[in-house]
Structures are given as structure tokens and as C-alpha cells.
Amino acid sequence: MTSRPLAHALADAEQKLTAAGVWAPRSDAEVLAAHVLGVGELDPAAELDTAAAAELDRLVARRADRVPLAYVTGWAELGGVRVSVGPGVFVPRPHTEPLLAWGLERLRGVSDPVVVDLCTGSGALALAIAHARPDARVHAVELSSVALDFALRNAKQQSDAGDTAIWLVQGDVTDPALFRDLHGTVDLVVANPPFVPNDMEMPPEWTEHHPPIAMYAGADGMVVIRHVVLLASRLLRPGGHVAIEHGDPQVHAVAELLRDTFTDITNHPDHHGDPRFTTAHRRV
Ligand SMILES: C[S@@+](CC[C@H](N)C(=O)[O-])C[C@H]1O[C@@H](n2cnc3c(N)ncnc32)[C@H](O)[C@@H]1O
């Protein structure tokens, strides 16, 4: 059996991914190689046997077709929780980590908190909160049945591994009756809803591979966020907290919507320093 030095395979993969316009070619090549080898960290002196080299070539070719990295590997992570993802479900992004951290900070000192994750997708935010706060009762809602199936599988995997179970429902955040039994009782609402304006240009990872329902939200990107704000104001107890992810174009519109029923409205940057989520407290 012949083998190939990892360093050569990585250089080759990086070159192919660069030519395809992938924005982090070296890092993606390393993630794919680690995935093929089944290791958390690559040994620079490693060798790939024939089967592993062929598998890496296959995965690199998929990524070069601009299939999202997480669809190629089948997983993504948020808050230290690994969730399964694939076609039909949004890939949780590192951009959401600061929102998660903010939410968990607000729950400090609140025992048995009630949390709602609106537009949960793979369930990543809800599951990361349940992982960090085993005493929390976490509810989550998702409209797409494909995404909900991923969320249900991810939730089962986490509860089988010992995390507190979360409560998942299929539903629409525009439905005024959604979570009616929770009105006025919730400590924290988190949401990463669709917020891309319909005519915004996006890389092929999104335009060709992500489900449109997970991304697009009308001409201004606000169609779903408007309902998220309304629902959060019904769900939260006085003084309860909300955190909503959005894009650069929605910074002012989100703050404006929150003004009626919320106070301490603050915009926060993501890990790149771009405005990424807005937080507020329900007026007492
Ligand atoms: C940007 S993705 C975020 C998913 C997840 N929160 C995350 O951060 O990975 C938005 C999600 O909202 C869901 N969605 C879109 N419209 C919805 C609605 N009206 N009610 C509930 N969920 C909705 C989409 O199917 C998608 O899963």
C-alpha cells in the first residue's frame, strides 16, 4: 500500500480550494484532513494511506463545489455542543457564539431559568444553553420540517449523552398563539432568525446550498425579526432578556422595533467586530 505525506495532501487541497474561491482554503483543508483521519488535531508528520488520500480528494472536490464545509463533514459546533447538519438546515456559525455567551451571562444567578430559542434550525443555540445550564427549561421552535428533524436528532443525542432535554415544537413565529402558555414567564429569549434582504448577493455556499427559508426575509431582511420582537415582548417576564442576531443593514431597524416594550437596547459585535446582535430587557 502506498502512502502520501499529509503535508503534500494539504498543499494540494489548499491549492484546489483557493482556485475554487473558498475563503479559508488552508483551514478548510485541515478540517477535512482531520475529519478523514478521525483526529482532533493533525500531526504534521502524518501519512495518508491510499483510502484516506482518495477520501480526502473526494471531500475537497465537494468543498471546491462550494458545498458548505459543515455539510461535507456533517457537523458544526456552538457553545461546545456538536450538532449534525446537512442539506436543508442552517449551519450554526461562530458569529453566534457572542450572543450565546451574552445570554448565559444574563442567566447567572437565575435558578431554573425558562429560555426560548426562536427559529432554532439544528437546535444549536437551545442545546448549547441546556448544556451550559442543566437546570434550565429550554423551549425551541422551528418552521421547517427538515430542520426540525435535525434538531430532534441533535436533541436526542444530547439528552442521551446526559444533557437536560429541551422542548422542541414545529411552529411559526408569526403565529400569535405560539407558546401562549409561556406568556410573561420567560427569563431569556434568543433568536437567530432569517435576516438576509431578498436581493442581497451571497456566496454559493448560501445561494446554492442553504435553504432559502433559513436566510431570506423580505426586501429589508426584517420580515421575521418583526415577529420575533413581538413574540419576545409577549413571552418575557418584566425584566427578562432578549438577544436577536441580525445583519449590518438591520442595526437601526431592530433597535427601533424594540423601543416600545424594551429598555437597555444595545448592539454587540461578532468575533470579526461587525454589528451582529441586539439585546434588550423587557420593561418592568
Ligand atoms: C438563520 S437560521 C438560524 C438557525 C439557528 N438558530 C442557528 O443559529 O443555527 C433561521 C431559521 O429560522 C427558521 N425559520 C424561518 N422562518 C421561520 C418562522 N416564521 N418561524 C419559525 N422558524 C422560522 C428557518 O427554517 C431556519 O432554520
Side-chain angles (χ1 to χ4, degrees):
M1 191 192 294
T2 56
S3 67
R4 186 166 193 219
L6 172 66
H8 292 185
L10 282 176
D12 187 29
E14 183 179 359
Q15 195 181 31
K16 286 178 181 152
L17 296 178
T18 303
V22 169
W23 57 85
R26 180 69 190 188
S27 142
D28 281 16
E30 289 173 355
V31 169
L32 292 174
H35 180 72
V36 166
L37 292 170
V39 296
E41 212 164 297
L42 288 170
D43 170 3
E47 299 272 330
L48 299 178
D49 65 22
T50 313
E55 178 63 359
L56 181 59
D57 278 351
R58 191 181 71 79
L59 299 188
V60 168
R62 289 195 69 210
R63 183 69 188 104
D65 275 344
R66 306 297 295 268
V67 175
L69 181 65
Y71 284 4
V72 180
T73 59
W75 56 266
E77 280 182 354
L78 189 72
V81 170
R82 183 175 283 206
V83 289
S84 293
V85 292
V89 71
F90 186 84
V91 175
R93 304 189 308 159
H95 305 67
T96 307
E97 294 280 2
L99 182 157
L100 170 65
W102 184 91
L104 289 173
E105 190 57 38
R106 300 285 85 63
L107 295 181
R108 250 179 213 264
V110 182
S111 56
D112 306 323
V114 180
V115 179
V116 176
D117 176 18
L118 302 174
C119 303
T120 196
S122 64
L125 258 176
L127 292 168
I129 291 170
H131 184 65
R133 286 297 300 264
D135 61 332
R137 183 174 175 98
V138 183
H139 301 260
V141 62
E142 169 57 47
L143 183 56
S144 147
S145 44
V146 179
L148 187 76
D149 280 349
F150 275 99
L152 287 166
R153 281 200 298 277
N154 288 326
K156 177 163 184 345
Q157 184 184 299
Q158 286 305 113
S159 65
D160 285 353
D163 279 4
T164 304
I166 65 167
W167 300 75
L168 272 166
V169 293
Q170 185 167 22
D172 188 335
V173 297
T174 68
D175 174 4
L178 182 67
F179 292 134
R180 198 189 284 283
D181 52 329
L182 295 177
H183 282 186
T185 67
V186 175
D187 297 291
L188 171 69
V189 170
V190 292
N192 178 17
F195 54 75
V196 178
N198 288 347
D199 63 356
M200 187 178 253
E201 285 192 14
M202 302 281 289
E205 281 80 357
W206 280 276
T207 53
E208 290 171 24
H209 297 286
H210 268 80
I213 188 179
M215 300 165 46
Y216 297 106
D220 58 359
M222 289 292 295
V223 163
V224 182
I225 289 181
R226 274 190 197 96
H227 292 276
V228 164
V229 170
L230 279 175
L231 187 51
S233 67
R234 286 186 213 115
L235 290 173
L236 288 168
R237 61 164 170 78
H241 312 281
V242 65
I244 303 170
E245 187 162 328
H246 53 76
D248 303 8
Q250 293 91 30
V251 173
H252 300 295
V254 172
E256 201 48 49
L257 275 181
L258 286 164
R259 206 145 278 144
D260 265 358
T261 37
F262 291 87
T263 180
D264 295 332
I265 300 162
T266 311
N267 186 259
H268 305 256
D270 62 19
H271 60 311
H272 291 311
D274 296 323
R276 185 60 59 225
F277 67 104
T278 296
T279 60
H281 306 150
R282 181 81 171 83
R283 280 187 205 282
V284 177

